[in-house]
Amino acid sequence: MERLACVKLPFLAMQIALKANPEWRNFPTVLLDRDHPRGRILEANKHARRLKIEPGMRYAGALSLCSDPADSAFSNNLRAAIYCPDEYQQVREELREQLGDFSPHLDALSDFSMRFSFLATDSAKAERGEALGRTTAFWLQATGLDRLYGSFEAWAAKLEAALKEEEFFASVVVGFSRFGTYALAHTQGVGVRVLESKAQEKHMLRSLSLARLDLDPRLKESLLQLGIRTVGEFLDLPASGIARRFGKEARQFYDFASTRNDLPIRRTSEDAPIERTLLFDQGEFNTERLIFRIKFELHAMAQKLAGRALVLLQLEMNFYRDEELEFCEIVRPARPSLDESTMIELVRLRLEIIEFSRTPTRLHLLAVGVPDKSEQTRLLSARNDRRWDDAQHALARLRAEFGPLCVLGFKAQNTHLPEDRFALKPLQTLARPSASLSLVTANLAAKDDAPNSSTSLVRRILADPEPIARAVAMQNQGSEAPYILSGHWWTQEAVHREYYYLDTHSGELLWVFYDRLRRGWYLHGRVE
């Protein structure tokens, strides 16, 4: 049975500040986003919170709460540190390396910030006054380590003791799922806990209050209005309506809590992204010089990927002006490869359309690699479709020049209304035509040539149903019973439709419905 451990370091940014200034531990201390009286407080320790100083306040306001006319020295009790993103990232990477001594396989919550944005430590949450270090967590593969250390308790205790030696405090939970270990580590405080069974983990999670989790306050309020207060009550909701009613982040949290996205531990030092940093003393805005520098670094990163038996999936380019991120660009080839000339071509197309408002002084490159499966795929393929490769490359060039949203494809959705059951989503790759599809197409063509053959009907759906005259609908209405679609009765946009097929005198076959609430007939599609 797979065992996972979550190591969560609460308020890591504040821990870093107190480690650098240990004499501040018994004083009210705050973490600021900038050295200015109007600087925003990102985190406050327990002594500051006793004085009603909370994240989100201004530094000047916090100083006023510490002022005491009867004691002139009291106003100097408040200690303040400035949050440094580079230092925070460096400490987090050092912690990752240290935890690697206790398990060969581990990854961090920050590796999944796009998938689990409701838990991401991004600047938007900092602007709302939330702690930057609140979601600093690592997952470790713990399977089999009980035999090496004698028990999971002994292994987790050694891990916690090693962090304490470095003056870091953590909550360690050994369990069976990502969400289970994370949620319990988030709510239990500093210490070690080992769960004995999946049933125990599930029971504790279902009774866990949503108010204790780091979720969007608006989501908590919406669920509270429905009487949903625990994780178990939230998971009892139907999955199909979560995104439409509560939003994308709520659906991500639902999938995370129900282990739909319980990914295996995969992040190791061998498959971590390769990073390079380019510094420009006077700033750099010349595209040709930028491409020349990137080409040199790309060659070194490609060689390192080849040494790991990996190919390049994407190249991320982060442009900074001093310490401020100006913009981020991601370039992906048609298929993962180590073709440097193709990547440089895509980089050139992307950079040529960028207009620098301020010249960047630093460029951070991040190359993400994946295992090379092209040879295995080629062995299983009956033939190498050159036209498919050319089409993929053409789409990659379009994305590089006009952005990732310029190539879209239809994706089915599990919704109630027919017009909402498909949506345009960014298309990363084309589906390769299969042999079975070609065979079906050939069989249909043969049937079309045969006399009295029946072909498949194609229904063209209108995005917005069009009103039609009642006389037209009643004149051509058949004797078949209608298909009734009713829903959304819990909102102001209730729906009650009665669908019919109308065979008109001109030979057209129309798909129409009668809207009983609006008392009108509408054309929704045609059958060809």
Side-chain angles (χ1 to χ4, degrees):
M1 183 178 297
E2 293 291 326
R3 299 299 297 266
L4 299 180
C6 180
V7 179
K8 188 171 186 300
L9 293 96
F11 315 121
L12 178 59
M14 177 61 71
Q15 290 197 50
I16 296 172
L18 294 178
K19 180 181 179 182
N21 304 276
E23 67 278 7
W24 292 2
R25 294 188 182 276
N26 296 323
F27 291 91
T29 305
V30 295
L31 192 70
L32 303 177
D33 63 348
R34 56 191 171 118
D35 188 7
H36 192 273
R38 289 189 58 79
R40 187 179 297 274
I41 295 178
L42 304 177
E43 189 51 69
N45 70 350
K46 61 181 181 181
H47 301 292
R49 291 176 185 269
R50 288 172 184 169
L51 298 175
K52 308 300 182 182
I53 298 174
E54 297 290 340
M57 296 176 59
R58 300 293 180 180
Y59 182 46
L63 286 174
S64 66
L65 293 177
C66 289
S67 61
D68 187 354
D71 186 359
S72 59
F74 186 75
S75 60
N76 296 324
N77 280 347
L78 184 63
R79 306 296 194 265
I82 309 302
Y83 172 68
C84 178
D86 291 340
E87 181 184 17
Y88 178 81
Q89 295 293 341
Q90 180 181 352
V91 171
R92 191 162 63 180
E93 290 305 314
E94 290 174 355
L95 288 170
R96 184 199 291 266
E97 184 176 350
Q98 183 179 4
L99 293 175
D101 295 336
F102 291 88
S103 176
H105 304 291
L106 75 154
D107 51 31
L109 182 64
S110 58
D111 298 333
F112 304 95
S113 59
M114 296 300 293
R115 183 180 294 268
F116 303 133
S117 58
F118 59 93
L119 295 173
T121 55
D122 53 12
S123 59
K125 299 192 85 173
E127 291 172 359
R128 296 203 302 266
E130 299 194 20
L132 289 173
R134 183 169 298 168
T135 50
T136 303
F138 300 89
W139 283 290
L140 290 77
Q141 179 64 260
T143 305
L145 294 177
D146 55 333
R147 298 181 180 180
L148 183 62
Y149 287 85
S151 65
F152 287 118
E153 289 82 357
W155 172 76
K158 276 199 171 186
L159 189 153
E160 185 193 24
L163 293 175
K164 280 186 178 179
E165 288 182 6
E166 299 295 328
E167 300 182 47
F168 289 114
F169 300 94
S171 174
V172 184
V173 174
V174 181
F176 301 88
S177 67
R178 285 184 184 270
F179 174 70
T181 54
Y182 172 83
L184 295 175
H186 179 75
T187 56
Q188 77 165 10
V190 175
V192 173
R193 172 180 288 178
V194 178
L195 303 176
E196 299 298 332
S197 64
K198 285 187 176 182
Q200 179 191 8
E201 180 182 278
K202 182 178 180 180
H203 175 73
M204 296 180 68
L205 288 178
R206 289 191 61 86
S207 60
L208 187 63
S209 173
L210 292 172
R212 301 182 64 188
L213 298 178
D214 188 17
L215 299 176
D216 189 340
R218 294 171 298 180
L219 173 60
K220 292 181 182 179
E221 183 179 356
S222 299
L223 294 174
L224 185 61
Q225 291 176 353
L226 296 176
I228 299 173
R229 295 177 173 82
T230 65
V231 174
E233 293 172 344
F234 178 64
L235 292 179
D236 289 338
L237 295 175
S240 58
I242 296 293
R244 288 181 62 86
R245 185 159 190 178
F246 301 108
K248 176 183 175 182
E249 289 190 356
R251 180 54 193 258
Q252 288 179 339
F253 172 63
Y254 185 90
D255 292 342
F256 185 34
S258 59
T259 68
R260 293 172 183 262
N261 286 329
D262 215 9
L263 303 175
I265 302 294
R266 58 173 178 81
R267 180 71 66 195
T268 65
S269 60
E270 288 302 316
D271 60 5
I274 299 174
E275 303 178 65
R276 292 287 189 276
T277 300
L278 303 178
L279 300 177
F280 313 112
D281 294 335
Q282 303 299 326
E284 184 59 82
F285 60 89
N286 184 277
T287 302
E288 292 300 326
R289 288 197 293 266
L290 277 174
I291 292 175
F292 180 80
R293 296 285 300 274
I294 294 174
K295 183 178 181 179
F296 179 80
E297 297 296 337
L298 181 62
H299 177 71
M301 290 190 290
Q303 287 186 326
K304 195 166 184 179
L305 286 172
R308 300 179 182 179
L310 301 177
V311 289
L312 182 63
L313 173 66
Q314 70 179 32
L315 179 66
E316 180 177 322
M317 301 179 291
N318 297 288
F319 292 87
Y320 292 85
R321 175 69 182 185
D322 298 329
E323 297 299 328
E324 184 177 352
L325 178 64
E326 289 293 312
F327 51 86
C328 172
E329 298 292 341
I330 296 178
V331 176
R332 299 187 65 164
R335 63 167 64 187
S337 71
L338 293 176
D339 188 349
E340 298 176 30
S341 60
T342 299
M343 283 301 302
I344 291 298
E345 178 188 5
L346 299 177
V347 169
R348 181 186 299 276
L349 290 172
R350 196 74 196 124
L351 293 182
E352 284 178 347
I353 65 171
I354 293 177
E355 296 183 1
F356 294 102
S357 57
R358 297 191 303 172
T359 55
T361 57
R362 178 161 60 98
L363 171 59
H364 182 75
L365 300 174
L366 188 145
V368 179
V370 294
D372 185 7
K373 298 182 179 179
S374 58
E375 291 299 325
Q376 295 93 319
T377 305
R378 190 171 293 113
L379 289 174
L380 297 175
S381 177
R383 57 189 179 89
N384 186 11
D385 194 341
R386 177 65 180 273
R387 289 177 298 176
W388 184 82
D389 293 337
D390 292 343
Q392 291 283 69
H393 183 62
L395 294 181
R397 287 174 56 88
L398 288 174
R399 283 191 291 266
E401 186 168 357
F402 300 106
L405 298 180
C406 72
V407 181
L408 304 176
F410 284 101
K411 183 177 181 181
Q413 298 188 129
N414 186 17
T415 58
H416 198 60
L417 298 180
E419 59 266 29
D420 295 334
R421 289 182 180 176
F422 53 89
L424 286 172
K425 302 289 185 179
L427 183 64
Q428 297 297 336
T429 182
L430 288 175
R432 185 185 290 273
S434 63
S436 58
L437 180 61
S438 301
L439 182 59
V440 170
T441 304
N443 290 337
L444 288 177
K447 289 182 178 180
D448 290 341
D449 295 337
N452 301 324
S453 63
S454 60
T455 59
S456 300
L457 300 180
V458 178
R459 181 183 304 165
R460 297 190 181 274
I461 300 177
L462 301 178
D464 297 312
E466 300 175 356
I468 60 174
R470 173 183 176 86
V472 174
M474 298 303 295
Q475 179 182 0
N476 297 278
Q477 182 178 347
S479 58
E480 294 83 1
Y483 174 81
I484 298 176
L485 188 150
S486 178
H488 292 275
W489 48 266
W490 58 89
T491 69
Q492 296 181 351
E493 299 180 357
V495 174
H496 185 96
R497 298 176 180 178
E498 299 174 0
Y499 278 89
Y500 298 88
Y501 285 106
L502 298 186
D503 193 356
T504 65
H505 297 300
S506 60
E508 284 188 295
L509 187 58
L510 306 180
W511 193 47
V512 303
F513 66 86
Y514 176 70
D515 194 323
R516 188 162 294 277
L517 299 179
R518 296 168 180 81
R519 299 182 181 277
W521 287 88
Y522 294 85
L523 172 65
H524 206 165
R526 292 178 172 84
V527 179
E528 301 177 358

